[in-house]
Amino acid sequence: MRWYRALTYKREQTGTDETRNPVFKLVETGNHILVRTPPWMPVLDETEGNRFNMVERTFLTKSKPEPLEGVAAIKVRGVLYSVESVTHEAPTVAVNVRRCTKDGWDDYVAGR
C-alpha cells in the first residue's frame, strides 16, 4: 500500500434557508494528512426503497487525532469522502469514511 496526501475539509455555515434551516458549505482547512488506502469494497444498502451502492473505507494514518477534530470530509486522490468516525488506537489513527454520489454529498453538506 502507498501513502497518499489527504486534504481536510470542514463545514462552515453560510446562512439559513427560507425554512430557517442552516446552510453549509465545505471549506478546505489548508491542512493535510498522509493516509494509507486499502482496497475499496462496495456495500449494497437494501433497506426498503433505498437500493444503492456506497463505498465505505477505512484510511490509516500516523497523524495525531487533533488535526482531525471537526473535520467533515477528506479528499484522497481527487475523491471526496465524508468522515464517519475517527478511532485512535495505539500508534495509528483509523478514519472511517463513506463516499456518496453528488446528490448524497449535497445533502450531507447541508446537514440533512
Side-chain angles (χ1 to χ4, degrees):
M1 288 194 280
R2 293 181 51 185
W3 289 95
Y4 294 98
R5 190 175 131 188
L7 300 173
T8 57
Y9 293 83
K10 292 188 178 188
R11 286 184 356 180
E12 182 179 281
Q13 185 172 350
T14 59
T16 56
D17 62 9
E18 56 275 350
T19 58
R20 297 189 185 136
N21 293 320
V23 176
F24 296 94
K25 71 174 184 174
L26 280 181
V27 177
E28 190 174 327
T29 63
N31 298 330
H32 70 276
I33 58 173
L34 293 178
V35 296
R36 292 194 102 168
T37 60
W40 67 275
M41 188 159 80
V43 178
L44 181 63
D45 182 10
E46 296 198 30
T47 55
E48 186 175 332
N50 292 323
R51 292 188 138 195
F52 62 92
N53 286 333
M54 61 186 157
V55 175
E56 294 180 348
R57 298 176 88 174
T58 301
F59 295 115
L60 298 177
T61 181
K62 291 188 177 183
S63 172
K64 294 183 180 182
E66 290 81 24
L68 294 169
E69 289 179 10
V71 170
I74 62 173
K75 188 176 196 177
V76 180
R77 299 181 69 191
V79 179
L80 275 170
Y81 296 92
S82 64
V83 174
E84 300 295 316
S85 66
V86 177
T87 307
H88 181 247
E89 294 291 331
T92 60
V93 175
V95 182
N96 297 316
V97 296
R98 178 179 291 171
R99 185 181 75 189
C100 301
T101 62
K102 174 79 170 97
D103 296 331
W105 185 256
D106 289 341
D107 287 342
Y108 174 77
V109 171
R112 294 182 213 137

